Amino acid sequence: MSVSAVPVLSARDLTIGYTRKHGTPVVVAERLSLRLAAGELVCLVGPNGAGKSTLLRTLAAMQPALAGTVRLGDDDIVALDPRERARRMSVVLTERVEAGHLTAYALVALGRHPYTDWTGRLGEHDEAVVRWAIETVGAKPLAARLVEELSDGERQKIMIARALAQEPLVMLLDEPTAFLDVPNRVEIMRVLRALTRLTGRAILLSTHDLDLALRTADRLWLLPRGGPLFCGAPEDLVLSGALAATFQAEGLAFDPSTGSFTLTRLRTEYVALAGEGLAALWTRRALEREGYQVVENGTPSLYQVTVLPGDPPRWRIDRGEHSQEHESIAALIAALRQPHPRETV
Amino acid sequence: MAEITLRPIPQTPAAEVARSAEWPRLGIRWLALLGLLGTLIGVFVLSLTLGSVDIPLGDVLKILAGEEPARKTWTTIVLKFRLPKAITATLAGSALAVAGLQMQTLFRNPLADPFVLGINSGASLGVALVVLSVGVAGVSATSMLAGLGLLGNFGLVTAASLGAGAVLTLMLLVARRVHSSTTLLILGLMVGYGAAALVSLLLYFSITERIQAYINWTFGSFGGVTWSQLHVFAPVILVALMLGLALVKPLNALLLGETYAQTMGVNVRWVRLAVILSAAVLAGAVTAFCGPIGFVGVAVPHLARHLFRSSDHRLLLPACALLGALLALVADIIAQMPGTQTVLPLNAVTALLGAPVVAWVILRRGSARPAYSG
């Protein structure tokens, strides 16, 4: 499916924030320009407090922009009739739904709200859409169950199906993976990505899970504190340094070579690492966790750690003329923690 | 709108939709509702036969058909007293249950009842002002009693309606300005406490006879409503029930909370005002004509949800109306203590009879899941 370049949701020089009781505006972020195209999955990431939720709420017309206009298709989103807006945009929020005696099916059916008459009765087409939405997110076995009995991951799928049943052009999701464990996070992202490919709908979601966002999103929207917004393919934003800059102030260092964050280093000692494959990768992470600067083999350093291939692998530490071997990473780390372990050999 | 290529949603062939055995059904259970309606009609007729004098069913049916019963006085008893009382009980029970359902959903609170917005406190204050303040002003009790006789029950009804109406107007004004429903709920409670405090003051400075008259009013009764009053009461209740019926769809959307409802195209502010108006008119009218009748409004919605295992207001609203009417009629029959001259306070009976029933249903059907739909 080709990704259309026509924006379904766009804004130029948007200022977001809120207005205090006595009319003083508080700007959260400004100079935000954005375009969301049909069929793409965009992840909105940024440090805490940068205004991700405020931006989402503004894009969903749940709160007014302080300046600038959000356009849904060609129309100003604030001026749009609420019913028409609900036909073009649906939202999944972080708040937990306490649905009482509602079945998953009935909850998804509520998504037909903008299409049904005043009685809320579902026509044949409505029922077909509800079923299609449930099947598309892979939740058919859950249909007859009460929402209360579903796990967090199952519930999130049902909420996504409900949003899908609104047949929107754009779906906005606020932290859809926030309360989920890792397999469920990956599964939800897989479902969302499949949705954009399958239906040509645009999905914008905010997330803290940068790693997953980097792997899944067609594009990232990076929101540093105060703005402006950086938009681009995840890889481009990594290479340009925008990603590292956005999270700089957080006490985290983004490592472009691994695509993940490392804690700001505690030590300045260097360790040279030699070895290949998974074992070397995880050894590197363990050393970084300990606070060492891991450098390429051959660089002058305090220690040299070599991963010896084998099943299971072994680890050798060299310091000057001293050398010892270890059975596990735990033993390796323990040895490194000993003050001058080599002298005692 | 610009050209956007969307994959169309597959149009499921009608035959496949019809083969819906594997999908849950959402339809309204008309059969269950019809069963309830049948029971209600049965109990309604039964209530006409029972009272201080037992009138055989055949004679009651004759009277209703306009024929002569075995004894002439029976015609008067049924047409002048029991029929308006039964109609009042039916309407009041429906009204309170529906108003309770609306409040529980709107405020997402299982303990909400029709009076959370302080409506009945307003009505109580109105009545207390009429009944009690006379003692404060020093007017002799006898002249007051005579005055009450002239005004009749309509005096109390007017006073209660004015009180309820004042609180309703206040709450509607507040609701237009306040965004949060929780804030609204708390403000309603405060108005209620304020009015109750004023009533306490009036009671404190009043004389025994007046206090007794006021307390009698707080017991609640369906028996005081005459045919001429029904000409006002019935249309008010029916119109407010119609308004409630027109609001079932937004109420369903509100099950997911106000924010979700908003994103589904519901004009939450407008709906909230309309729901409050409907519930307050229902509760206010019942309180004005029958006194403050508790329990029905908070219990029946739970009963309906558990019996029908549903949160769908298209089903729950009619179910609450029928169950509420049923409970009110049965409570009234018991309060009359058939075959005796004694009449028990209605409020005591509804709670004594209803609390165990509701507790049983909820415990038997229940689970840890919240009993309300919010």
Side-chain angles (χ1 to χ4, degrees), chain B residues 92-124:
Chain B
S94 299
L96 290 174
V98 168
L101 176 71
Q102 288 173 322
M103 290 294 99
Q104 286 176 6
T105 299
L106 184 67
F107 292 116
R108 299 162 68 77
N109 189 323
L111 298 178
D113 70 4
F115 307 129
V116 278
L117 293 178
I119 303 300
N120 74 325
S121 305
S124 303

PDB file of all heavy atoms in Angstrom, chain B residues 92-124:
ATOM      1  N   ALA B  92     -44.667   7.506  40.164  1.00  0.00           N
ATOM      2  CA  ALA B  92     -43.595   7.933  41.065  1.00  0.00           C
ATOM      3  C   ALA B  92     -42.462   6.916  41.076  1.00  0.00           C
ATOM      4  O   ALA B  92     -41.280   7.274  41.016  1.00  0.00           O
ATOM      5  CB  ALA B  92     -44.142   8.142  42.475  1.00  0.00           C
ATOM      6  N   GLY B  93     -42.819   5.625  41.116  1.00  0.00           N
ATOM      7  CA  GLY B  93     -41.794   4.578  41.114  1.00  0.00           C
ATOM      8  C   GLY B  93     -40.948   4.638  39.854  1.00  0.00           C
ATOM      9  O   GLY B  93     -39.712   4.593  39.906  1.00  0.00           O
ATOM     10  N   SER B  94     -41.613   4.767  38.697  1.00  0.00           N
ATOM     11  CA  SER B  94     -40.887   4.877  37.434  1.00  0.00           C
ATOM     12  C   SER B  94     -39.969   6.075  37.455  1.00  0.00           C
ATOM     13  O   SER B  94     -38.786   5.993  37.099  1.00  0.00           O
ATOM     14  CB  SER B  94     -41.858   5.056  36.258  1.00  0.00           C
ATOM     15  OG  SER B  94     -42.705   3.964  36.160  1.00  0.00           O
ATOM     16  N   ALA B  95     -40.532   7.202  37.885  1.00  0.00           N
ATOM     17  CA  ALA B  95     -39.787   8.455  37.839  1.00  0.00           C
ATOM     18  C   ALA B  95     -38.526   8.363  38.680  1.00  0.00           C
ATOM     19  O   ALA B  95     -37.431   8.719  38.234  1.00  0.00           O
ATOM     20  CB  ALA B  95     -40.670   9.601  38.326  1.00  0.00           C
ATOM     21  N   LEU B  96     -38.663   7.858  39.915  1.00  0.00           N
ATOM     22  CA  LEU B  96     -37.504   7.815  40.810  1.00  0.00           C
ATOM     23  C   LEU B  96     -36.443   6.859  40.277  1.00  0.00           C
ATOM     24  O   LEU B  96     -35.244   7.157  40.317  1.00  0.00           O
ATOM     25  CB  LEU B  96     -37.949   7.393  42.214  1.00  0.00           C
ATOM     26  CG  LEU B  96     -38.780   8.431  42.951  1.00  0.00           C
ATOM     27  CD1 LEU B  96     -39.290   7.862  44.276  1.00  0.00           C
ATOM     28  CD2 LEU B  96     -37.966   9.696  43.198  1.00  0.00           C
ATOM     29  N   ALA B  97     -36.872   5.695  39.763  1.00  0.00           N
ATOM     30  CA  ALA B  97     -35.897   4.717  39.273  1.00  0.00           C
ATOM     31  C   ALA B  97     -35.146   5.266  38.071  1.00  0.00           C
ATOM     32  O   ALA B  97     -33.924   5.130  37.971  1.00  0.00           O
ATOM     33  CB  ALA B  97     -36.612   3.416  38.913  1.00  0.00           C
ATOM     34  N   VAL B  98     -35.870   5.890  37.145  1.00  0.00           N
ATOM     35  CA  VAL B  98     -35.226   6.428  35.947  1.00  0.00           C
ATOM     36  C   VAL B  98     -34.276   7.571  36.324  1.00  0.00           C
ATOM     37  O   VAL B  98     -33.143   7.642  35.843  1.00  0.00           O
ATOM     38  CB  VAL B  98     -36.280   6.912  34.929  1.00  0.00           C
ATOM     39  CG1 VAL B  98     -35.637   7.737  33.825  1.00  0.00           C
ATOM     40  CG2 VAL B  98     -37.001   5.710  34.334  1.00  0.00           C
ATOM     41  N   ALA B  99     -34.737   8.433  37.236  1.00  0.00           N
ATOM     42  CA  ALA B  99     -33.874   9.541  37.657  1.00  0.00           C
ATOM     43  C   ALA B  99     -32.614   9.009  38.334  1.00  0.00           C
ATOM     44  O   ALA B  99     -31.507   9.525  38.126  1.00  0.00           O
ATOM     45  CB  ALA B  99     -34.630  10.471  38.602  1.00  0.00           C
ATOM     46  N   GLY B 100     -32.772   7.949  39.128  1.00  0.00           N
ATOM     47  CA  GLY B 100     -31.608   7.348  39.786  1.00  0.00           C
ATOM     48  C   GLY B 100     -30.618   6.799  38.774  1.00  0.00           C
ATOM     49  O   GLY B 100     -29.411   7.009  38.878  1.00  0.00           O
ATOM     50  N   LEU B 101     -31.144   6.098  37.767  1.00  0.00           N
ATOM     51  CA  LEU B 101     -30.287   5.552  36.706  1.00  0.00           C
ATOM     52  C   LEU B 101     -29.509   6.671  36.023  1.00  0.00           C
ATOM     53  O   LEU B 101     -28.293   6.572  35.808  1.00  0.00           O
ATOM     54  CB  LEU B 101     -31.153   4.805  35.685  1.00  0.00           C
ATOM     55  CG  LEU B 101     -30.423   4.247  34.468  1.00  0.00           C
ATOM     56  CD1 LEU B 101     -29.558   3.063  34.854  1.00  0.00           C
ATOM     57  CD2 LEU B 101     -31.415   3.831  33.381  1.00  0.00           C
ATOM     58  N   GLN B 102     -30.203   7.750  35.707  1.00  0.00           N
ATOM     59  CA  GLN B 102     -29.561   8.866  35.014  1.00  0.00           C
ATOM     60  C   GLN B 102     -28.431   9.457  35.859  1.00  0.00           C
ATOM     61  O   GLN B 102     -27.342   9.734  35.362  1.00  0.00           O
ATOM     62  CB  GLN B 102     -30.593   9.953  34.701  1.00  0.00           C
ATOM     63  CG  GLN B 102     -31.556   9.551  33.602  1.00  0.00           C
ATOM     64  CD  GLN B 102     -32.669  10.559  33.428  1.00  0.00           C
ATOM     65  OE1 GLN B 102     -33.169  11.118  34.403  1.00  0.00           O
ATOM     66  NE2 GLN B 102     -33.079  10.780  32.200  1.00  0.00           N
ATOM     67  N   MET B 103     -28.709   9.631  37.154  1.00  0.00           N
ATOM     68  CA  MET B 103     -27.697  10.241  38.025  1.00  0.00           C
ATOM     69  C   MET B 103     -26.498   9.314  38.200  1.00  0.00           C
ATOM     70  O   MET B 103     -25.355   9.749  38.206  1.00  0.00           O
ATOM     71  CB  MET B 103     -28.311  10.572  39.392  1.00  0.00           C
ATOM     72  CG  MET B 103     -29.315  11.704  39.370  1.00  0.00           C
ATOM     73  SD  MET B 103     -28.577  13.309  38.966  1.00  0.00           S
ATOM     74  CE  MET B 103     -28.969  13.466  37.255  1.00  0.00           C
ATOM     75  N   GLN B 104     -26.753   8.000  38.348  1.00  0.00           N
ATOM     76  CA  GLN B 104     -25.644   7.057  38.547  1.00  0.00           C
ATOM     77  C   GLN B 104     -24.736   7.035  37.320  1.00  0.00           C
ATOM     78  O   GLN B 104     -23.519   6.965  37.437  1.00  0.00           O
ATOM     79  CB  GLN B 104     -26.178   5.657  38.850  1.00  0.00           C
ATOM     80  CG  GLN B 104     -26.737   5.572  40.263  1.00  0.00           C
ATOM     81  CD  GLN B 104     -27.353   4.229  40.575  1.00  0.00           C
ATOM     82  OE1 GLN B 104     -27.280   3.287  39.792  1.00  0.00           O
ATOM     83  NE2 GLN B 104     -27.977   4.131  41.728  1.00  0.00           N
ATOM     84  N   THR B 105     -25.329   7.080  36.131  1.00  0.00           N
ATOM     85  CA  THR B 105     -24.503   7.069  34.930  1.00  0.00           C
ATOM     86  C   THR B 105     -23.797   8.404  34.754  1.00  0.00           C
ATOM     87  O   THR B 105     -22.593   8.442  34.479  1.00  0.00           O
ATOM     88  CB  THR B 105     -25.364   6.773  33.696  1.00  0.00           C
ATOM     89  OG1 THR B 105     -25.954   5.495  33.863  1.00  0.00           O
ATOM     90  CG2 THR B 105     -24.507   6.760  32.438  1.00  0.00           C
ATOM     91  N   LEU B 106     -24.511   9.494  34.921  1.00  0.00           N
ATOM     92  CA  LEU B 106     -23.914  10.810  34.703  1.00  0.00           C
ATOM     93  C   LEU B 106     -22.737  11.037  35.649  1.00  0.00           C
ATOM     94  O   LEU B 106     -21.683  11.510  35.239  1.00  0.00           O
ATOM     95  CB  LEU B 106     -24.961  11.910  34.909  1.00  0.00           C
ATOM     96  CG  LEU B 106     -24.467  13.321  34.603  1.00  0.00           C
ATOM     97  CD1 LEU B 106     -24.168  13.473  33.122  1.00  0.00           C
ATOM     98  CD2 LEU B 106     -25.489  14.361  35.034  1.00  0.00           C
ATOM     99  N   PHE B 107     -22.916  10.658  36.914  1.00  0.00           N
ATOM    100  CA  PHE B 107     -21.853  10.907  37.887  1.00  0.00           C
ATOM    101  C   PHE B 107     -20.944   9.704  38.068  1.00  0.00           C
ATOM    102  O   PHE B 107     -20.039   9.739  38.892  1.00  0.00           O
ATOM    103  CB  PHE B 107     -22.453  11.340  39.228  1.00  0.00           C
ATOM    104  CG  PHE B 107     -23.096  12.693  39.160  1.00  0.00           C
ATOM    105  CD1 PHE B 107     -24.452  12.846  39.361  1.00  0.00           C
ATOM    106  CD2 PHE B 107     -22.329  13.808  38.855  1.00  0.00           C
ATOM    107  CE1 PHE B 107     -25.043  14.092  39.276  1.00  0.00           C
ATOM    108  CE2 PHE B 107     -22.915  15.057  38.769  1.00  0.00           C
ATOM    109  CZ  PHE B 107     -24.272  15.196  38.975  1.00  0.00           C
ATOM    110  N   ARG B 108     -21.172   8.640  37.321  1.00  0.00           N
ATOM    111  CA  ARG B 108     -20.347   7.437  37.413  1.00  0.00           C
ATOM    112  C   ARG B 108     -20.161   7.043  38.864  1.00  0.00           C
ATOM    113  O   ARG B 108     -19.048   6.763  39.316  1.00  0.00           O
ATOM    114  CB  ARG B 108     -18.979   7.679  36.761  1.00  0.00           C
ATOM    115  CG  ARG B 108     -19.090   8.015  35.292  1.00  0.00           C
ATOM    116  CD  ARG B 108     -17.851   8.668  34.760  1.00  0.00           C
ATOM    117  NE  ARG B 108     -16.707   7.775  34.724  1.00  0.00           N
ATOM    118  CZ  ARG B 108     -16.530   6.839  33.820  1.00  0.00           C
ATOM    119  NH1 ARG B 108     -17.423   6.632  32.899  1.00  0.00           N
ATOM    120  NH2 ARG B 108     -15.460   6.087  33.833  1.00  0.00           N
ATOM    121  N   ASN B 109     -21.258   7.016  39.579  1.00  0.00           N
ATOM    122  CA  ASN B 109     -21.176   6.758  41.014  1.00  0.00           C
ATOM    123  C   ASN B 109     -22.323   5.840  41.411  1.00  0.00           C
ATOM    124  O   ASN B 109     -23.489   6.169  41.204  1.00  0.00           O
ATOM    125  CB  ASN B 109     -21.290   8.092  41.760  1.00  0.00           C
ATOM    126  CG  ASN B 109     -21.008   7.947  43.235  1.00  0.00           C
ATOM    127  OD1 ASN B 109     -21.383   6.950  43.852  1.00  0.00           O
ATOM    128  ND2 ASN B 109     -20.360   8.933  43.795  1.00  0.00           N
ATOM    129  N   PRO B 110     -21.999   4.670  41.996  1.00  0.00           N
ATOM    130  CA  PRO B 110     -23.047   3.699  42.311  1.00  0.00           C
ATOM    131  C   PRO B 110     -23.965   4.166  43.433  1.00  0.00           C
ATOM    132  O   PRO B 110     -25.035   3.595  43.622  1.00  0.00           O
ATOM    133  CB  PRO B 110     -22.261   2.461  42.727  1.00  0.00           C
ATOM    134  CG  PRO B 110     -20.952   2.973  43.187  1.00  0.00           C
ATOM    135  CD  PRO B 110     -20.662   4.198  42.375  1.00  0.00           C
ATOM    136  N   LEU B 111     -23.549   5.169  44.187  1.00  0.00           N
ATOM    137  CA  LEU B 111     -24.367   5.615  45.313  1.00  0.00           C
ATOM    138  C   LEU B 111     -25.222   6.822  44.960  1.00  0.00           C
ATOM    139  O   LEU B 111     -25.971   7.319  45.796  1.00  0.00           O
ATOM    140  CB  LEU B 111     -23.473   5.958  46.510  1.00  0.00           C
ATOM    141  CG  LEU B 111     -22.676   4.780  47.049  1.00  0.00           C
ATOM    142  CD1 LEU B 111     -21.788   5.213  48.195  1.00  0.00           C
ATOM    143  CD2 LEU B 111     -23.622   3.684  47.515  1.00  0.00           C
ATOM    144  N   ALA B 112     -25.095   7.293  43.730  1.00  0.00           N
ATOM    145  CA  ALA B 112     -25.892   8.455  43.337  1.00  0.00           C
ATOM    146  C   ALA B 112     -27.372   8.074  43.332  1.00  0.00           C
ATOM    147  O   ALA B 112     -27.739   6.964  42.966  1.00  0.00           O
ATOM    148  CB  ALA B 112     -25.456   8.939  41.961  1.00  0.00           C
ATOM    149  N   ASP B 113     -28.217   8.978  43.766  1.00  0.00           N
ATOM    150  CA  ASP B 113     -29.661   8.753  43.691  1.00  0.00           C
ATOM    151  C   ASP B 113     -30.304  10.014  43.109  1.00  0.00           C
ATOM    152  O   ASP B 113     -29.605  10.970  42.774  1.00  0.00           O
ATOM    153  CB  ASP B 113     -30.225   8.378  45.077  1.00  0.00           C
ATOM    154  CG  ASP B 113     -30.213   9.541  46.046  1.00  0.00           C
ATOM    155  OD1 ASP B 113     -29.842  10.658  45.640  1.00  0.00           O
ATOM    156  OD2 ASP B 113     -30.576   9.333  47.205  1.00  0.00           O
ATOM    157  N   PRO B 114     -31.636  10.002  42.916  1.00  0.00           N
ATOM    158  CA  PRO B 114     -32.253  11.152  42.241  1.00  0.00           C
ATOM    159  C   PRO B 114     -32.057  12.451  43.005  1.00  0.00           C
ATOM    160  O   PRO B 114     -32.284  13.525  42.477  1.00  0.00           O
ATOM    161  CB  PRO B 114     -33.737  10.781  42.201  1.00  0.00           C
ATOM    162  CG  PRO B 114     -33.785   9.324  42.400  1.00  0.00           C
ATOM    163  CD  PRO B 114     -32.601   8.960  43.224  1.00  0.00           C
ATOM    164  N   PHE B 115     -31.660  12.347  44.270  1.00  0.00           N
ATOM    165  CA  PHE B 115     -31.627  13.541  45.104  1.00  0.00           C
ATOM    166  C   PHE B 115     -30.226  14.102  45.306  1.00  0.00           C
ATOM    167  O   PHE B 115     -30.032  15.018  46.098  1.00  0.00           O
ATOM    168  CB  PHE B 115     -32.252  13.219  46.469  1.00  0.00           C
ATOM    169  CG  PHE B 115     -33.623  12.612  46.349  1.00  0.00           C
ATOM    170  CD1 PHE B 115     -33.945  11.441  47.009  1.00  0.00           C
ATOM    171  CD2 PHE B 115     -34.585  13.214  45.546  1.00  0.00           C
ATOM    172  CE1 PHE B 115     -35.207  10.880  46.885  1.00  0.00           C
ATOM    173  CE2 PHE B 115     -35.847  12.657  45.422  1.00  0.00           C
ATOM    174  CZ  PHE B 115     -36.162  11.492  46.092  1.00  0.00           C
ATOM    175  N   VAL B 116     -29.217  13.535  44.586  1.00  0.00           N
ATOM    176  CA  VAL B 116     -27.844  13.984  44.829  1.00  0.00           C
ATOM    177  C   VAL B 116     -27.667  15.461  44.551  1.00  0.00           C
ATOM    178  O   VAL B 116     -26.751  16.078  45.074  1.00  0.00           O
ATOM    179  CB  VAL B 116     -26.798  13.227  43.981  1.00  0.00           C
ATOM    180  CG1 VAL B 116     -26.456  11.907  44.614  1.00  0.00           C
ATOM    181  CG2 VAL B 116     -27.220  13.108  42.565  1.00  0.00           C
ATOM    182  N   LEU B 117     -28.507  16.031  43.706  1.00  0.00           N
ATOM    183  CA  LEU B 117     -28.310  17.441  43.387  1.00  0.00           C
ATOM    184  C   LEU B 117     -29.028  18.356  44.371  1.00  0.00           C
ATOM    185  O   LEU B 117     -29.129  19.560  44.158  1.00  0.00           O
ATOM    186  CB  LEU B 117     -28.763  17.726  41.958  1.00  0.00           C
ATOM    187  CG  LEU B 117     -27.886  17.040  40.918  1.00  0.00           C
ATOM    188  CD1 LEU B 117     -28.387  17.288  39.525  1.00  0.00           C
ATOM    189  CD2 LEU B 117     -26.444  17.516  41.043  1.00  0.00           C
ATOM    190  N   GLY B 118     -29.570  17.765  45.444  1.00  0.00           N
ATOM    191  CA  GLY B 118     -30.187  18.586  46.474  1.00  0.00           C
ATOM    192  C   GLY B 118     -31.638  18.941  46.188  1.00  0.00           C
ATOM    193  O   GLY B 118     -32.224  19.800  46.842  1.00  0.00           O
ATOM    194  N   ILE B 119     -32.220  18.240  45.164  1.00  0.00           N
ATOM    195  CA  ILE B 119     -33.583  18.570  44.763  1.00  0.00           C
ATOM    196  C   ILE B 119     -34.575  18.355  45.911  1.00  0.00           C
ATOM    197  O   ILE B 119     -35.416  19.206  46.198  1.00  0.00           O
ATOM    198  CB  ILE B 119     -34.013  17.720  43.546  1.00  0.00           C
ATOM    199  CG1 ILE B 119     -33.048  17.920  42.386  1.00  0.00           C
ATOM    200  CG2 ILE B 119     -35.432  18.044  43.139  1.00  0.00           C
ATOM    201  CD1 ILE B 119     -32.952  19.339  41.891  1.00  0.00           C
ATOM    202  N   ASN B 120     -34.453  17.192  46.578  1.00  0.00           N
ATOM    203  CA  ASN B 120     -35.450  16.924  47.624  1.00  0.00           C
ATOM    204  C   ASN B 120     -35.214  17.807  48.844  1.00  0.00           C
ATOM    205  O   ASN B 120     -36.146  18.148  49.559  1.00  0.00           O
ATOM    206  CB  ASN B 120     -35.480  15.449  48.004  1.00  0.00           C
ATOM    207  CG  ASN B 120     -34.293  15.050  48.835  1.00  0.00           C
ATOM    208  OD1 ASN B 120     -33.193  15.563  48.622  1.00  0.00           O
ATOM    209  ND2 ASN B 120     -34.499  14.151  49.780  1.00  0.00           N
ATOM    210  N   SER B 121     -33.943  18.219  49.058  1.00  0.00           N
ATOM    211  CA  SER B 121     -33.691  19.142  50.165  1.00  0.00           C
ATOM    212  C   SER B 121     -34.379  20.471  49.901  1.00  0.00           C
ATOM    213  O   SER B 121     -34.932  21.086  50.813  1.00  0.00           O
ATOM    214  CB  SER B 121     -32.189  19.361  50.333  1.00  0.00           C
ATOM    215  OG  SER B 121     -31.547  18.131  50.487  1.00  0.00           O
ATOM    216  N   GLY B 122     -34.339  20.895  48.622  1.00  0.00           N
ATOM    217  CA  GLY B 122     -35.038  22.124  48.263  1.00  0.00           C
ATOM    218  C   GLY B 122     -36.528  21.998  48.528  1.00  0.00           C
ATOM    219  O   GLY B 122     -37.160  22.890  49.106  1.00  0.00           O
ATOM    220  N   ALA B 123     -37.087  20.858  48.113  1.00  0.00           N
ATOM    221  CA  ALA B 123     -38.517  20.629  48.318  1.00  0.00           C
ATOM    222  C   ALA B 123     -38.839  20.606  49.814  1.00  0.00           C
ATOM    223  O   ALA B 123     -39.826  21.196  50.270  1.00  0.00           O
ATOM    224  CB  ALA B 123     -38.934  19.317  47.655  1.00  0.00           C
ATOM    225  N   SER B 124     -37.978  19.904  50.585  1.00  0.00           N
ATOM    226  CA  SER B 124     -38.200  19.828  52.031  1.00  0.00           C
ATOM    227  C   SER B 124     -38.189  21.218  52.653  1.00  0.00           C
ATOM    228  O   SER B 124     -39.025  21.540  53.502  1.00  0.00           O
ATOM    229  CB  SER B 124     -37.106  18.983  52.692  1.00  0.00           C
ATOM    230  OG  SER B 124     -37.066  17.713  52.117  1.00  0.00           O
TER     231      SER B 124
END
